[in-house]
Every structure is written in structure tokens, then in C-alpha cells.
Amino acid sequence: MSSFKDLRIVDNFYQTSAFFPMPTILISTIDDDGNTTLGAYSLCFPYYIAGKDYYAMILECRNSSNTAQNILKRGKCALNFLLDDKKLFKETVRLGFPGETSKEKMKDCPLEFEDGLAKGTRPKVLKDAFQVFECTWDDKLEDAYLDKDKVGQLEGIEGPYRNFNGVTSKFGCHFILKIDKILMKEKYYNSIINGVKSNNFPRVPVDYGYRDSTNFWYSKFKRPIAMPIPAGKEADIQSVKYAAGRIDPDIKFSDEACQMLVKVPRVFLKLVLQGCVKYAKENNITYIDAEVMKTINDKRNKEKNRK
């Protein structure tokens, strides 16, 4: 006999039929008056993470929400990630309650805005955020730009529907959001660049998805625990040297350079070595030693920070 019970799946199953850990963010968009407004969301996750010419998030929301309507009209938004603070979470819950206009929601909002770093006409970002993703909706996917004709239909939209981008159901929208800029407060920027430790990890709250007619539920931040990579999962120096020696006949790697790659998971080792070879050939280098490898790593970090 199974130790589980069969729980009925209903609308908003992640809230009504499950305990599902998620982020809690405030999305800023521009309303019809040109002002920045906020909406609270948890269904926002990484979408394109590698191998594309850009990186992207996916946002799932009601197509009648102020946020969805503003993105359909103007295509710009900012994903503001807030630290664990009871006052901030209380305001997030208030901003997430449906049924009010942007003007009504923002009338007494105590949160402060500042300009972001992406170019063009953009919503402002929150000063209290520890990180912000400034994004543009890729409305060319699935010809989703055609759904702009459906703006203003707030009582439900009739089909046809998109599969993954734009209006996806009578009451739903999905947005593939190209990440234009990742903004990071200096303290956490430094922790990523110099090495994240438990004492410089941002105090990130977790929304548990489930809510009833009375409460939202979230967990307060506790210091994270570092769990080392299991023994045998990282490549040994001989494995790296073997792979490096066969990646390109014209490019050689020193033992010290190979040692700097032992932390790379085996599944990504070939891709990393190919990147090293590409850099070497672009710079007329035939021998990659520790100094060259350090330069490659620095270049990769700078590129990551620019994106």
C-alpha cells in the first residue's frame, strides 16, 4: 500500500494543492500615465540559461493583471528581488492582491525607486532590492506581438492561444523576458566576484506557494549551509590533462592550467576547454599556462558581469 494520498489537482495547483518553494519578487512596469507601478509575483523562473544569444526568464501571470497589461503594451519590466524583511514582505503581499488599479496600489506605497542601468524608456527599480533583472519581452517568439490587439480584455480572452509566449489561456499569460541587465548591490556583487560565503549571502526569503483564505506563507532567512561537491564528482588532474591534450592539436595546456579546471563538472569540461582554445587562437597563443588561464577566467567574469 502506498504511503501517499492522492490529492486533487485544481487551478493554481502550486498554491492550493502543494507546498512549492519559490522566489518572491516585485515586478516594476510602466502604466498608462508613464509612472512606475509594482506587482508581486512568484511564478518567475530562469528560461534560457545557456547556448542562446541571450538569457531569459519566464513569467506566468493573469492576463488581466496590471503587470501583464503593461508588458503587453510596452514590453519592458524590472524584476526586483527583496531581502527578508517582515515590513517588505507585508507590502509585497499587499501589492500582490488583485483587483486594484495601478494608481490605487501605488497611492500609499512606501517603497522608493531609482533609475536602472538599461537604456531606453524603462520602469524604475527599487532601492531596497538586492538585485534587479531589467528585462524586455521577446514578443517575436510565437508571433506574440499580435496579442497586443487583445489589450483591455480584462474579463477573459478567447482563443486562439499561444503555447508558451503571450496570451496562453482565457485568463493566463506567459512572457519570455530577455535579461538586458543584472543589477547587484555592491556587497553582493563583491561576494559573487570574490567568492560567496555564508556570511555574505543575501538574506533571501522563500515563498512556500500554499495560501489559504487567511494567510500567505513564507520562510525567514537562515544562514545557508555549504555542501561540498561529493568526492569523485570533480575531475582529477589526469582526466583534465587527457581531455586538454585531445581538444586541439595546435594548443597545449600546462599542468598548472589543467589544475585550475579540476572543479569544472565533467559534463561541462569539453565546452570550457573549447572556450579556452577559442581565446588562444584569437590571441595567437599556442601554450595555455596558469597566467593565460587566469586571463581567460577574468575575461569570462567580466563578460558575465556585463550581461
Side-chain angles (χ1 to χ4, degrees):
M1 178 178 292
S2 174
S3 61
F4 293 95
K5 302 290 289 185
D6 185 3
L7 186 61
R8 187 166 66 98
I9 304 172
V10 298
D11 285 356
N12 294 326
F13 66 88
Y14 68 97
Q15 288 182 324
T16 55
S17 305
F19 301 95
F20 197 80
M22 299 178 291
T24 302
I25 63 176
L26 288 176
I27 299 182
S28 49
T29 55
I30 300 174
D31 67 14
D32 292 340
D33 296 322
N35 299 317
T36 296
T37 184
L38 294 168
Y41 290 90
S42 286
L43 296 180
C44 192
F45 308 99
Y47 191 73
Y48 290 147
I49 62 169
K52 298 283 287 186
D53 58 353
Y54 66 89
Y55 303 104
M57 301 287 285
I58 183 169
L59 168 66
E60 304 169 41
C61 58
R62 290 180 298 107
N63 57 41
S64 61
S65 70
N66 299 322
T67 298
Q69 291 288 303
N70 291 338
I71 294 176
L72 283 169
K73 293 174 187 177
R74 284 167 280 275
K76 305 293 184 182
C77 66
L79 315 182
N80 301 273
F81 294 76
L82 300 177
L83 293 171
D84 174 20
D85 181 295
K86 192 170 183 178
K87 290 181 180 178
L88 289 177
F89 192 79
K90 183 177 181 180
E91 182 64 10
T92 298
V93 171
R94 185 188 73 80
L95 289 166
F97 201 80
E100 294 182 316
T101 65
S102 295
K103 188 173 293 186
E104 290 170 335
K105 281 193 175 187
M106 299 305 296
K107 181 180 178 182
D108 298 314
C109 181
L111 302 177
E112 295 184 61
F113 293 109
E114 63 179 68
D115 292 331
L117 299 180
K119 296 179 180 179
T121 303
R122 298 272 180 167
K124 293 182 179 294
V125 304
L126 285 175
K127 283 187 176 181
D128 283 320
F130 69 88
Q131 72 179 12
V132 180
F133 295 175
E134 292 190 277
C135 298
T136 299
W137 177 36
D138 189 350
D139 61 3
K140 295 182 178 61
L141 292 173
E142 270 205 299
D143 293 330
Y145 62 88
L146 297 173
D147 287 344
K148 293 178 181 180
D149 293 338
K150 300 174 182 178
V151 166
Q153 299 179 36
L154 305 182
E155 303 302 321
I157 298 174
E158 298 303 323
Y161 302 117
R162 313 294 165 192
N163 289 314
F164 65 92
N165 190 40
V167 177
T168 52
S169 67
K170 186 172 184 177
F171 301 109
C173 255
H174 286 184
F175 294 106
I176 308 304
L177 302 173
K178 177 184 177 181
I179 300 175
D180 301 310
K181 292 283 185 182
I182 292 182
L183 316 185
M184 189 78 62
K185 287 293 175 66
E186 185 174 8
K187 175 181 178 180
Y188 306 110
Y189 171 93
N190 290 336
S191 72
I192 286 180
I193 297 302
N194 300 322
V196 176
K197 300 178 182 178
S198 62
N199 61 357
N200 61 16
F201 201 98
R203 296 180 294 106
V204 183
V206 175
D207 174 2
Y208 274 99
Y210 178 80
R211 68 182 175 102
D212 50 32
S213 60
T214 306
N215 298 306
F216 281 85
W217 297 83
Y218 86 107
S219 68
K220 293 191 68 62
F221 177 81
K222 293 183 179 180
R223 180 174 287 194
I225 299 171
M227 187 64 63
I229 295 173
K233 294 296 183 181
E234 62 185 42
D236 60 73
I237 182 65
Q238 294 303 322
S239 297
V240 176
K241 287 172 64 176
Y242 180 87
R246 286 155 180 77
I247 197 71
D248 190 285
D250 300 322
I251 307 296
K252 305 301 180 184
F253 290 75
S254 72
D255 288 356
E256 291 79 9
C258 291
Q259 184 63 48
M260 295 170 71
L261 296 177
V262 295
K263 295 290 186 181
V264 175
R266 286 188 177 91
V267 67
F268 299 129
L269 182 57
K270 182 178 179 181
L271 183 64
V272 170
L273 288 170
Q274 288 172 335
C276 295
V277 168
K278 182 174 183 291
Y279 174 85
K281 290 189 171 182
E282 288 173 348
N283 292 274
N284 297 316
I285 295 170
T286 59
Y287 186 69
I288 298 178
D289 58 14
E291 192 62 32
V292 174
M293 186 63 73
K294 183 179 183 302
T295 301
I296 293 172
N297 288 338
D298 289 344
K299 179 177 181 290
R300 186 182 298 117
N301 288 333
K302 288 178 182 178
E303 289 175 346
K304 183 176 73 171
N305 292 329
R306 282 200 301 266
K307 292 177 178 178

